[in-house]
Amino acid sequence: DFNSFITRTNTCGELRSAHVGQEVTLYGWIQYQRQGLFLVLRDFQGLTQIIIPQDEAHSHVKKLLSNAPVESVVRVTGIVSPRPPGQENPKMPTGDIEVKAETAEILNSCKKLPFEIKGFIKKSEALRMQYRYLDLRSFQLQYNLRLRSQIVMRMREYLCNLHGFVDVETPTLFKRTPGGAKEFLVPSREAGKFYCLPQSPQQFKQLLMVAGLDRYFQVARCYRDEGSRPDRQPEFTQIDIEMSFVDQAGIQRLIEGLLQYSWPEERGSIMTPFPSMTYKEALADYGTDKPDTRFGMKIVDVSDFLRRLDIQFVQNALSYPRGTVKAICIPQGVRYLKNKDLESLKESAKSRFNQEIVEIICRPDGRLKSLLTKFLGEKQQSQLIQVLNMQVDDVVLLAAGEHKQVCSALGSLRLESADLLEAAGLVLRDPTAFHFLWVVDFPLFLPKEENPTELESAHHPFTAPHPSDTSLLYSDPTKVRSQHYDLVLNGNEVGGGSIRIHSAEQQRFVLEKVLKEDSEVLSHLLEALEFGAPPHGGIALGLDRLISLIVDAPSIRDVIAFPKSFRGRDLMGNAPDYVTPEELEPYHIQVSWPLAEKEAKKN
């Protein structure tokens, strides 16, 4: 009941023909006013047309409503009437009626707006952030926040009421965690000692399993100091879950059930179980560990076919241990892509992956146009067309080199090509389709980018090795697969989790011997694992990303009430802000001003 506890009788979105003749009291914002004859009143639920009285007896009401600026807050009491024949508005749920105003009150007048509160008016991102409370008046953002609230409520029901999970709040002030993203530091009154804001409640949820809680869940606030990264937020929300005595399949079934139960009806239904793919398959077929499976254009391996031919760059590539030749086929590329598009794709592969690309075009006569054709006879051309499943006017992009580099470059070109094809009018990805996918069997460790001789955790240091690979952990850790699983939706990672290490001995070995980390930082967790820790595992769903995909928002900022800007700033409250030396004194901190000024200029 939207009208409980308050003095309005109805919302602006609920009046229908059945209400004709009733006296109603509405509260809302003036969306639009026309020549002192009528106005449109808006609240969170919808719009109602208010007829401004023209008779002398109501002249004060006419004056009040005619002169009120747009977006002023008003109370209107009046009689619900049918609209005159031919004046109904089928686009408005309240379009069959209007309210004839009897009394009115301006509760708060609105000064000149920095922008109009209309969806079709283009506003700069900075202006929207500065006046976020005005931006949030738009129907789309209100819809996003309400849908988010409903989905979270359904998730709580599913986890707590149906499956016995316990909602536990974990601390926000903690200490540094080795590995992972950079953390925000919070000074303390002890000289030289700092708290960290947790990038996830990872350690606490594991400790709750050691405590015997069995099933934990939390709508958790998380923090990562990732600097200027597009479409990332320094503070974000995840649906955090941990269970004792569970395996990978158990977590996957739980999440499939959770999403099916909380999925909004207006977005259709989702089918379970979700398909699954190994990390190796994802990289080989899609060039990424988060494949968008709504469209084809999979990567094709042509190494075996081209190995027989005397092409120098192909032979050079295949002479390396992980050498390969692969390609993607762009359907109707000749028709939809311009020469400059193909050049930009090749330039992208060169600048981002240091990968040369050779293009092959299938002409209307069935012959190929490419630098490669001088090495191919007619029979070999038709065989290559078969291997690549080419049709007339298709364009193939071919790459030769080290396996991961080639796959990553082609995976990126696959997505860029899809964007170009869709911009030119060819629909490849159904915007109403939701393709969930589990990606499993990740490597447990990856070489560090800055120093490939050292290893880092592919997921985090608490992830358990694959049961079949446990012995390799001690002999050849680079070959160990993990019990880490990611949930992907339409090419976006929306969740990640793992079965955890529950042996103190194994956890210490991973930290000290493999990752070369100081295990003292985690002494509390290592000690807890020695007190009868049960086997356990869990997952975290990125709520902001998930909701943004469900509502098809251009950015995750559109599903967060008060997001930070691209640079991690709050443009409305102007945070972060300076504090005085006196305020810093209890924390034993001094600011190095030349450094601060340099930073301010950069921003």
Side-chain angles (χ1 to χ4, degrees), residues 283-548:
L283 192 64
D285 292 348
Y286 296 95
T288 174
D289 58 6
K290 39 180 187 282
D292 188 344
T293 54
R294 287 175 297 171
F295 69 109
M297 286 175 59
K298 284 160 82 165
I299 297 170
V300 180
D301 193 329
V302 288
S303 305
D304 289 343
F305 175 78
L306 292 176
R307 195 185 300 277
R308 308 190 296 262
L309 305 176
D310 186 23
I311 305 172
Q312 193 60 48
F313 79 92
V314 168
Q315 295 304 330
N316 286 350
L318 293 176
S319 67
Y320 291 105
R322 298 275 292 154
T324 189
V325 187
K326 297 193 171 218
I328 54 166
C329 182
I330 305 172
Q332 300 298 291
V334 173
R335 191 184 305 176
Y336 288 100
L337 301 184
K338 301 182 176 72
N339 276 338
K340 68 174 178 120
D341 294 329
L342 291 173
E343 287 308 314
S344 81
L345 289 171
K346 290 197 278 190
E347 178 51 41
S348 169
K350 181 71 179 155
S351 60
R352 292 178 58 207
F353 300 96
N354 195 26
Q355 181 63 57
E356 296 289 349
I357 298 291
V358 175
E359 68 189 77
I360 307 170
I361 292 169
C362 189
R363 292 170 157 161
D365 62 4
R367 291 169 66 82
L368 298 179
K369 178 189 172 189
S370 171
L371 292 172
L372 287 183
T373 47
K374 60 184 174 188
F375 303 104
L376 304 171
E378 271 191 46
K379 187 182 175 189
Q380 288 163 325
Q381 282 196 36
S382 63
Q383 284 173 335
L384 185 59
I385 287 169
Q386 244 179 332
V387 169
L388 293 166
N389 196 19
M390 286 182 86
Q391 311 291 324
V392 169
D393 285 346
D394 285 356
V395 174
V396 160
L397 302 179
L398 182 138
E402 190 275 326
H403 178 262
K404 190 170 182 186
Q405 178 182 307
V406 164
C407 291
S408 299
L410 290 176
S412 177
L413 294 185
R414 174 179 177 266
L415 296 175
E416 288 177 52
S417 305
D419 289 341
L420 290 168
L421 290 173
E422 290 188 330
L426 181 68
V427 180
L428 277 181
R429 298 166 288 199
D430 179 355
T432 64
F434 294 96
H435 284 220
F436 282 98
L437 172 75
W438 288 109
V439 179
V440 300
D441 289 356
F442 282 82
L444 188 57
F445 306 110
L446 291 170
K448 285 185 177 177
E449 267 185 43
E450 65 277 12
N451 185 0
T453 60
E454 292 181 7
L455 295 177
E456 62 185 0
S457 297
H459 187 217
H460 57 51
F462 315 115
T463 301
H466 195 286
S468 314
D469 296 353
T470 307
S471 61
L472 287 169
L473 182 61
Y474 305 96
S475 58
D476 192 352
T478 56
K479 290 199 168 80
V480 180
R481 290 169 299 160
S482 68
Q483 293 189 71
H484 160 202
Y485 32 85
D486 276 354
L487 182 61
V488 175
L489 171 58
N490 295 355
N492 296 270
E493 184 192 327
V494 291
S498 65
I499 302 301
R500 323 300 185 189
I501 296 171
H502 65 279
S503 150
E505 188 189 344
Q506 192 178 78
Q507 185 66 79
R508 189 173 275 107
F509 178 84
V510 166
L511 288 167
E512 294 176 357
K513 304 298 182 203
V514 181
L515 299 175
K516 311 285 193 256
E517 292 278 3
D518 178 10
S519 64
E520 191 55 36
V521 182
L522 293 165
S523 58
H524 56 284
L525 180 66
L526 290 166
E527 187 177 18
L529 295 180
E530 291 172 331
F531 286 111
H536 57 283
I539 193 168
L541 297 178
L543 185 65
D544 309 310
R545 178 82 54 215
L546 178 65
I547 303 294
S548 72

Side-chain angles (χ1 to χ4, degrees), residues 273-285:
F274 300 154
S276 184
M277 184 184 294
T278 67
Y279 169 80
K280 249 183 186 165
E281 290 168 335
L283 192 64
D285 292 348

Side-chain angles (χ1 to χ4, degrees), residues 77-78 173 249 346 527 562-563:
T77 298
L173 293 175
K346 290 197 278 190
E527 187 177 18
F562 296 100

Side-chain angles (χ1 to χ4, degrees), residues 187-199:
S188 80
R189 289 171 183 266
E190 290 185 61
K193 289 190 176 180
F194 292 80
Y195 296 105
C196 280
L197 299 183
Q199 48 188 298

